[in-house]
Amino acid sequence: DKTKSDSLKQHSLYTYMMVVILLVIVAGLLYSIKKDRFQDYVESQQVLMSHSAEDAVQVLQVYIEQTRRLVSLFTAAESDLINRLAAEPDNEDLIGLLQQKLTEHIPDHFAFTLTDEDGEVLLDDFDGKVGEVCLADIRSFEQDEHAHEIFIHPNPLQYHFDMMTNITLDDGGRGIFFVSFKPDVIATHLANNEVHGHRLLLLHSHNEGMIEITADGAR
């Protein structure tokens, strides 16, 4: 009986050990499968993220180029009015007329101004729409238009970005016609290109970590 009892105990111990070993093997297999699936999930999300960002960049590049072209076309079409305003920068009627035409053709603009060939602003800005950052932007464009970069300008009235184009004045001099834009369209493009569960953030290219615009609007 004792021998039989010892045999049963050994058998039970062996069975217990086998069960434990099988459980460990199964747990290891499940962990490996779960890890592989999680890695596959992470990789698929990274692919979606990359495609989403690339699509957003392409859309925004097209929008910026179209907006820049729109400002150039408007400036060419209204060159006579702009030149009259350059000659009479205090003429409120001319300012109002140019504002009306700008609103008709470029409804999402925020402000506009005009400079002489030295980059000096000709129009008074009593509303404070053209701030110091805008003036610095104008001077940068005046020095090298090809080096001009688009970025968001903080402003108490409206965050915005600037577009500028050169004009030839009637006296033969060179001026700059300046139009600033609300960032709403850019925010909409970001929202339209976001993948579910992801956020697209437009970052400042020279100030690491600074968020310029999200799908909710400017920073």
Side-chain angles (χ1 to χ4, degrees):
D1 291 340
K2 182 179 180 182
T3 301
K4 186 176 181 181
S5 176
D6 291 341
S7 178
L8 288 173
K9 287 180 180 180
Q10 290 178 354
H11 180 73
S12 299
L13 181 60
Y14 174 78
T15 303
Y16 173 77
M17 292 178 62
M18 291 300 296
V19 169
V20 170
I21 292 172
L22 287 174
L23 288 174
V24 170
I25 293 173
V26 170
L29 289 173
L30 290 175
Y31 173 78
S32 177
I33 293 171
K34 184 177 180 180
K35 183 179 179 181
D36 290 341
R37 288 182 176 178
F38 178 74
Q39 185 61 34
D40 290 342
Y41 171 78
V42 170
E43 291 175 357
S44 68
Q45 292 299 304
Q46 288 176 336
V47 171
L48 288 174
M49 176 179 64
S50 177
H51 289 169
S52 173
E54 290 172 359
D55 291 344
V57 167
Q58 292 179 1
V59 169
L60 292 178
Q61 285 177 336
V62 171
Y63 168 69
I64 293 298
E65 289 305 316
Q66 288 178 339
T67 304
R68 183 179 284 116
R69 177 172 171 77
L70 186 60
V71 171
S72 296
L73 290 174
F74 177 85
T75 305
E78 300 298 337
S79 60
D80 290 342
L81 178 56
I82 293 174
N83 265 285
R84 288 172 60 195
L85 186 57
E88 303 177 58
D90 296 326
N91 191 320
E92 294 294 334
D93 291 335
L94 292 179
I95 293 175
L97 181 57
L98 186 57
Q99 175 66 72
Q100 178 184 338
K101 289 180 174 292
L102 196 57
T103 300
E104 291 173 356
H105 291 86
I106 312 177
D108 61 333
H109 84 282
F110 168 61
F112 74 92
T113 196
L114 180 64
T115 80
D116 60 17
E117 62 182 347
D118 296 322
E120 295 297 325
V121 176
L122 299 175
L123 307 181
D124 290 327
D125 178 40
F126 298 111
D127 297 328
K129 292 183 177 180
V130 182
E132 287 299 324
V133 180
C134 296
L135 298 178
D137 213 15
I138 291 173
R139 288 190 290 270
S140 173
F141 181 85
E142 193 272 334
Q143 294 173 3
D144 185 1
E145 62 180 286
H146 300 294
H148 177 248
E149 296 181 334
I150 304 299
F151 61 96
I152 295 298
H153 293 188
N155 185 285
L157 299 175
Q158 172 71 62
Y159 278 53
H160 58 272
F161 63 93
D162 298 338
M163 288 287 180
M164 284 163 272
T165 185
N166 290 308
I167 58 171
T168 301
L169 302 175
D170 288 340
D171 61 5
R174 171 179 172 267
I176 298 173
F177 185 63
F178 161 105
V179 183
S180 62
F181 290 83
K182 304 171 186 177
D184 301 7
V185 175
I186 294 179
T188 299
H189 284 314
L190 290 177
N192 291 339
N193 282 275
E194 281 185 346
V195 177
H196 178 69
H198 292 225
R199 297 294 305 279
L200 281 172
L201 308 175
L202 188 61
L203 303 179
H204 195 291
S205 58
H206 302 311
N207 194 337
E208 186 176 355
M210 177 181 284
I211 297 173
E212 292 276 57
I213 306 176
T214 71
D216 298 324
R219 62 178 183 269

